[in-house]
Every structure is written in C-alpha cells, then in structure tokens.
Amino acid sequence: MPKIGMRIIKSAVAVFICLSLYPLLGHHGVPFYAAIAAILCMQPDASNSYRVALNRIIGTLIGGVYGILVLTLIKTFMPPSWEILRYLVLSLSMIPLMYLTVLLKKNTATYITCVVFLSITVSHSDELLPYAFGISRIVETLIGIFVSLLVNHFHIPRRRNLDLLFVSDLNGTLLNHERRLSSYTRIKLNHLLDRGAQITVATSRTPATAVPLLNGVNLSLPIVVMNGAALYDLKEKTYSRVCFLPQDAALQVLELFERENINCLSYTLFDDMLHIYHGSLSNEAARSYFEDRKTLPLKSFIHGHPPAEQPVFYFTVFETLGVVEQLCNHLKQLPCADKLQVMYYQDPRHDGFYMLNVLSANASKLAGVNEIASRLGLHKTVVFGDELNDLCLLESTPHSYAVENAAPPVKETARHQIGSNDSDAVVRTIGKLFYSGKAFRGDS
C-alpha cells in the first residue's frame, strides 16, 4: 500500500491556511477559490515551483480580465432569461481564451485560466458589478497560489548528511525494469538535491543515452559514463575528464581486431561530441545498437577507421560468448596488455550475444567517483549497484548496497541488500541515509 506523500500533506496544509485566512479577513470573499488554486498549484517538490507559480499567476490574470470583459458584455446585452444562449456564449468564449495561452506558450496555465474565467462568469453575484466580482475572484485565486508557493518551500528542519557522496548505477539499479526513472524516484531525487544531497550516477552508458534518462533531474555533479572512461558535466554539456588509451595500445587493439576479422566500434572525442568509427556491422546485435543510436544527439557514427590524430578511449565489440572469450585471451597476450582494461557482459536485448569493452587501465567507475569526491572534498561514499561492473565501487566502501535483483556476486560483495529496482529502493535508501546521523558516526 503506497504511503501518503508530502504533496498530499502539503495540499491539506495549504487548504487549511486558505480557509483560516477567511475569518482573519473579516469573512470577505469566498475561500473556496483560494483553496482550489492552492491544490492546483501544489508541486511534488520545490525545484520548479517558482516557474509553475509564475505561469499560474499569468493564467489567473488572463482568465480574470477576460472573464470580467465577457461578463460585462453578457450583463449589458443579454437578458437573464436567455440562459441557454448565455451558456453557449460562455462555452464559445473559452476557445479564444485557451488558444491565447497556447500563443503565449503558457500551456500549463490553461487549466487555471479556464477555472478563473468560469468562476467569474458562471458563479457571479448579481449584487456586485462585474469588475468588482472579477477582481475579488482574481485576488482569492492569487492568495491560493502564494499560499501554495510558501507551503511548497517550507521544510521541517532535519539533520542532513552533507558529507556523503551517493553514487548509483543506472540499468537495473536506479532505473526500473522498463529502463526509466519512476515518477517517485525522479521527484524524490529532486527533493534530496534541493536539500543539498550530493548525488551522481556511474554507468556503462554513453552520455547520448544516459542524459535523456536523467532529464528533469537537477543533478549538479558530473556523471561517470562508459564504465569510468569519462566524466560528463550535465550542465555544461562537456566531458570534464577522459581516459584516452595510449596510441600504441589503441593501434595494437585495432590490429588484433583486423586480424581476427572482428568489427568493432572505436570511440573518439571531438568538440565534446562522441565520434564512433565502425566497419560493416555484421551481426544483429551490432546493427541494432547502431540503428537505436544513430540519430541520437551527443554522438555521431562514422564508417571507417579513426584518424591518427584522434585518440581512442573506448572500443566495443558485439559477438557470441566463444568469440568474446577468445578475444579476451588475445588481448591479454598483447604487449600493451597492462595498459588495457577488458570487460564483457551479456547483451540483454539479444540472446547469445555479449558486449566486449576495451578501455584504459586507468579508467574505472571507482576512479571517476574518486575524482568527483576529491573535487568536493568528501571522504565517505555510499554506492548502489547490480552488475559485475559495479564490483570495484562496492568493494571500495563499507557503505555498499546491492538491489534485490542484483547478480549473485554483487550481493555477496555488497555490505547491505535493499529492495528491487522496481520498488524505488535506491532513492528511498538515499533519503534515509541523508537524513540519518546514526549510520555514519565514527566512519572514516
């Protein structure tokens, strides 16, 4: 059974304040409109509440002024007995009103614009002049908006662990089985970030596929991408750290792949854009990878060999398990083997195929996380993972957590186990640890 969220509680508090203001103002006006506006404007977190409040204020003013004009015309030219005709005019009048919010690019304000318009034109009092009644409704609605804004920004003082760096993998950990962030996780992450939590992700994905998944999450720290081969700054849209392969090592790897007739993807970087060089894509896994990503921003696929002046920092090969294992053995026998890091795992979308990655020996998720921690001056890291490429992170800290759906070796390595990736377990655990002072006392 889901818990009662803070948005529900805050909405109830905002309604109480709106209703309580009614006797304080001498019982003038109708508190119903302020309460309705407070509910409509309440946001799940404070990160975008100013923008939402501004849109609602603009919508209130548009709907209010338009409602006063329409009501004035109706009372002037239309007898009270023409009830059906009056309703028809009101209904048709909403068409230009809603279209105006579209022209002004205030689509999110359309709802409250119509509410204010109808509250003036449908429920008006014959005892008041249209402009007096309309202004009263506008003021009451604005009261509700401002009350909602204030309540949304109120936080109960709680102790926060600002000296912790929280790091989570994406696939199978922070993302659910549909490979996306749940609404709850997205909202909770923004709440924690607003309160000062230091959160980042460490993933095997490139920025081209990781960034869209994190859209709407206000991460300020760089993220670790491509198994630690690079750090990517979401705000600046730049690579803040890249572990390039030594040129001789990259050439030896390319020559090996050519001798074995293996088609590989070679990742280079130019003007903060991934350039991925490739030959003919000879199997379904490689072709699918290309087709799914060829139109994405932040990366460009190029048929051919990487130019000598562009250093490579990542190789990817899609092959069957036998071929991948054979390649691993060959890579270990290269003169540059000590400069390489080789890892492979099953392709979740294509049975029988595995993805082999070759990157610098200096590149790892742990190295990327350590650099972020060093920049922040933090010494305590909390990590979450589910796959073998998370092991280096999980082994590095006593504060390691495996999700319920993690691979067996990950569960054995992690100090703690939490719920599955479909239960928002990661963000719930981050919330508990961020606001808890007990779990980290005495830790170094």
Side-chain angles (χ1 to χ4, degrees), residues 264-270 273-281 290 293-294 299-307 310:
C264 72
L265 303 174
S266 305
Y267 291 75
T268 69
L269 194 64
F270 183 76
M273 171 75 75
L274 279 181
H275 287 194
I276 306 172
Y277 293 85
H278 64 92
S280 59
L281 304 172
F290 170 76
R293 291 162 174 78
K294 65 181 181 181
K299 65 166 54 176
S300 176
F301 286 88
I302 303 170
H303 190 274
H305 292 286
Q310 288 193 23

Side-chain angles (χ1 to χ4, degrees), residues 164-297:
L164 297 178
L165 175 61
F166 296 97
V167 184
S168 175
D169 180 35
L170 281 179
N171 292 351
T173 307
L174 196 61
L175 305 182
N176 58 24
H177 76 280
E178 297 177 346
R179 292 177 175 265
R180 64 180 181 84
L181 294 179
S182 71
S183 298
Y184 178 87
T185 288
R186 195 180 301 274
I187 291 167
K188 187 67 174 178
L189 280 175
N190 279 331
H191 167 80
L192 291 165
L193 291 164
D194 285 342
R195 300 294 289 145
Q198 305 283 8
I199 303 172
T200 188
V201 301
T203 177
S204 61
R205 289 176 175 268
T206 68
T209 58
V211 171
L213 292 170
L214 296 169
N215 186 38
V217 179
N218 303 319
L219 291 173
S220 60
L221 300 180
I223 61 174
V224 182
V225 295
M226 303 173 72
N227 288 313
L231 296 181
Y232 186 77
D233 191 310
L234 293 168
K235 287 190 173 182
E236 299 297 327
K237 298 181 180 179
T238 59
Y239 288 81
S240 58
R241 171 184 178 268
V242 181
C243 289
F244 289 103
L245 284 159
Q247 188 172 17
D248 63 321
L251 287 174
Q252 289 178 41
V253 173
L254 280 171
E255 289 171 358
L256 169 64
F257 289 156
E258 287 182 2
R259 286 199 307 269
E260 298 295 324
N261 197 27
I262 297 296
N263 294 305
C264 72
L265 303 174
S266 305
Y267 291 75
T268 69
L269 194 64
F270 183 76
D271 286 342
D272 285 305
M273 171 75 75
L274 279 181
H275 287 194
I276 306 172
Y277 293 85
H278 64 92
S280 59
L281 304 172
S282 57
N283 61 60
E284 59 179 294
R287 286 193 298 271
S288 175
Y289 183 88
F290 170 76
E291 291 296 333
D292 290 345
R293 291 162 174 78
K294 65 181 181 181
T295 59
L296 292 178

Side-chain angles (χ1 to χ4, degrees), residues 1 20 26 33 60 79 92 107 113 122 139 183 186 267 289 312 316-317 320 353 357 422:
M1 190 171 181
S20 299
Y33 298 105
T60 297
L92 294 175
N107 302 61
T113 301
V122 175
V139 170
S183 298
R186 195 180 301 274
Y267 291 75
Y289 183 88
V312 178
T316 297
V317 170
T320 58
F353 282 94
N357 293 320
D422 283 327

Side-chain angles (χ1 to χ4, degrees), residues 68 81 94 134 180 216 228 241 261 297 334-336 344 389 391 443:
I68 291 172
S81 58
M94 292 183 65
R180 64 180 181 84
R241 171 184 178 268
N261 197 27
L334 291 177
C336 67
Y344 66 90
N389 58 2
L391 287 177
D443 293 340

